[in-house]
Amino acid sequence: MSLRSLMLGTAMATAAILPLADGAAAKAYKVGLVVSLSGPTASLGQQIERGAKLYQSLHKNGLGDDTVELIVRDDTGPAPDVAKRLAQELVVRDKVDVLAGIIFTPNANAIAPIATQAKVPFVIMNAASWATTKASPYIVRVSQTLPQITVPLAQWAAKQPDIKSVYTLVSDYAPGIEAEEAFASGLKEAGKTVTASVRVPVQSPDFVPFLQKVKDAKPDALYVFLPGGTQSTALMKAYQSLGLKEAGVRLIGSGEVAVEDELPNMGDAALGVVTGFHYSTSHDSKLNADFVKAWQAAYGADSVPTFMGVGGYDGMAAIHGAIKALKGKFTGEAAVEAMRHWSAESPRGPIAIDPDTRDIVQNIYIRRVEKVDGALRNVEFETFAAVKDPGKAAK
């Protein structure tokens, strides 16, 4: 065989092998997304799913030849046994590389041991109880904690000369109790106290008898924490029908009380409500404007992203960031380590993961419901910058 023929044959063989080598290098990652897509909290799960899918669609070429597949499962609401079973199936049968999602803290706590045993990263996109990240070294949270959003609001309320007495009303489960305690702690630091507290059922509560007690007590303000969704509208309508605003009881609360996709259903009863939160659809930044525009292009002009949608979006950003950083050497431990040092500019503002706690660091905004161009909006008017979880700092 001539030298020329040998060289030609070698070149052809190499050309034939190269595409196979490139194909072998590409990796297909799986993310098991567990959210509530049925029952009273279905709108919350839909937001997280839509946020995650929007990030995927906008960044589908960001990983080169690697791909990320979302496998979505419905935990039906606050149902730890269901969430645990779904997570087990995702790990054992579907062999996911990452677990993600979760609206309710009890569901997150049920999944935590599975993440630990399987050494699978678990990216929490909502569940907000401060202690949840302690349940597994594989948990990274991109959403918020209850003390993180509640203490700044309490500090703001304590400075208001017309707020001398505050009644609290919260959902009767771990996050609600934490919110109640965090708000009271924030007031106490400023020399003020909560005058009375009440806890309501987590699912489908009748707010009227509870709010009547509040009205009879005549506080200057009522602080509220609820899971969000349609419950917030039900509370707002009861607040209006019982005439608490006219009685001089100001409504303040965590951002779920005035969640954006429910504001149109609340009507003018929501005007003036002040909340503390990490995201508003009206957040003034180009990145957020582009995010809202992309959301409405994908899901309809009448659809608006909420904090849940941003949680899904940023959660996928953190997962993609870890995949990029590890360059094919993806393990559970390595992925968590990469996310511990992850930071980004989000539609909500600058965010980062605290490497010591694996919880998010972010701005908390004090917002007031106002009518802007004929529509109700959460308008930010004060910022607490780069807030870490004060729950862990206090322990």
Side-chain angles (χ1 to χ4, degrees), residues 262-322:
E262 286 294 321
L263 283 177
N265 300 325
M266 296 176 184
D268 289 352
L271 284 171
V273 171
V274 172
T275 55
F277 222 35
H278 56 289
Y279 176 68
S280 167
T281 305
S282 300
H283 178 66
D284 187 14
S285 75
K286 183 180 184 304
L287 186 59
N288 185 53
D290 291 343
F291 170 67
V292 173
K293 183 178 179 180
W295 182 284
Q296 294 180 334
Y299 304 122
D302 293 332
S303 178
V304 293
T306 69
F307 69 102
M308 293 279 186
V310 169
Y313 186 89
D314 287 338
M316 291 308 299
I319 293 167
H320 277 236

Side-chain angles (χ1 to χ4, degrees), residues 221-236:
L222 169 66
Y223 166 80
V224 175
F225 166 81
L226 298 172
T230 56
Q231 280 197 27
S232 298
T233 298
L235 174 113
M236 202 68 68

Side-chain angles (χ1 to χ4, degrees), residues 92-292:
V92 175
R93 185 184 65 196
D94 298 297
K95 303 198 181 303
V96 297
D97 300 283
V98 180
L99 290 165
I102 303 300
I103 294 169
F104 295 98
T105 292
N107 295 13
N109 291 340
I111 291 175
I114 297 170
T116 302
Q117 184 177 5
K119 298 183 178 180
V120 172
F122 180 16
V123 179
I124 292 180
M125 298 172 173
N126 181 63
S129 178
W130 76 267
T132 296
T133 51
K134 290 180 172 289
S136 170
Y138 288 86
I139 290 176
V140 176
R141 179 159 40 196
V142 299
S143 51
Q144 74 277 347
T145 75
L146 267 303
Q148 184 182 50
I149 61 176
T150 304
V151 170
L153 178 66
Q155 293 171 342
W156 172 85
K159 294 186 297 183
Q160 308 311 303
D162 59 339
I163 297 181
K164 296 181 176 63
S165 59
V166 183
Y167 206 113
T168 67
L169 181 152
V170 302
S171 295
D172 191 10
Y173 73 130
I177 295 168
E178 283 183 22
E180 176 188 280
E181 293 174 348
F183 188 84
S185 174
L187 279 185
K188 186 176 180 180
E189 289 176 5
K192 294 187 176 181
T193 59
V194 171
T195 56
S197 301
V198 64
R199 298 171 183 173
V200 301
V202 178
Q203 298 199 58
S204 305
D206 177 6
F207 291 108
V208 171
F210 297 104
L211 291 180
Q212 185 60 58
K213 289 183 180 179
V214 174
K215 184 178 181 180
D216 293 343
K218 300 179 180 179
D220 296 317
L222 169 66
Y223 166 80
V224 175
F225 166 81
L226 298 172
T230 56
Q231 280 197 27
S232 298
T233 298
L235 174 113
M236 202 68 68
K237 290 184 175 179
Y239 173 80
Q240 182 182 40
S241 67
L242 290 172
L244 269 74
K245 182 186 290 187
E246 291 75 13
V249 182
R250 294 184 62 177
L251 182 57
I252 62 177
S254 301
E256 297 93 342
V257 174
V259 67
E260 277 82 2
D261 58 348
E262 286 294 321
L263 283 177
N265 300 325
M266 296 176 184
D268 289 352
L271 284 171
V273 171
V274 172
T275 55
F277 222 35
H278 56 289
Y279 176 68
S280 167
T281 305
S282 300
H283 178 66
D284 187 14
S285 75
K286 183 180 184 304
L287 186 59
N288 185 53
D290 291 343
F291 170 67
V292 173

Side-chain angles (χ1 to χ4, degrees), residues 16-98:
I17 290 171
L18 282 175
L20 294 176
D22 289 344
K27 293 183 178 293
Y29 297 93
K30 294 181 180 179
V31 176
L33 189 73
V34 182
V35 289
S36 307
L37 295 170
S38 57
T41 57
S43 63
L44 307 182
Q46 183 187 65
Q47 279 276 333
I48 290 180
E49 181 185 11
R50 285 182 168 185
K53 288 184 173 179
L54 182 63
Y55 187 89
Q56 290 277 88
S57 68
L58 295 178
H59 300 85
K60 56 187 175 184
N61 298 321
L63 297 175
D65 292 332
D66 291 345
T67 59
V68 178
E69 176 189 359
L70 274 176
I71 303 174
V72 183
R73 296 290 183 264
D74 175 16
D75 63 18
T76 72
D81 291 343
V82 176
K84 181 178 180 179
R85 173 177 57 79
L86 293 174
Q88 287 173 328
E89 291 175 357
L90 286 164
V91 168
V92 175
R93 185 184 65 196
D94 298 297
K95 303 198 181 303
V96 297
D97 300 283
V98 180

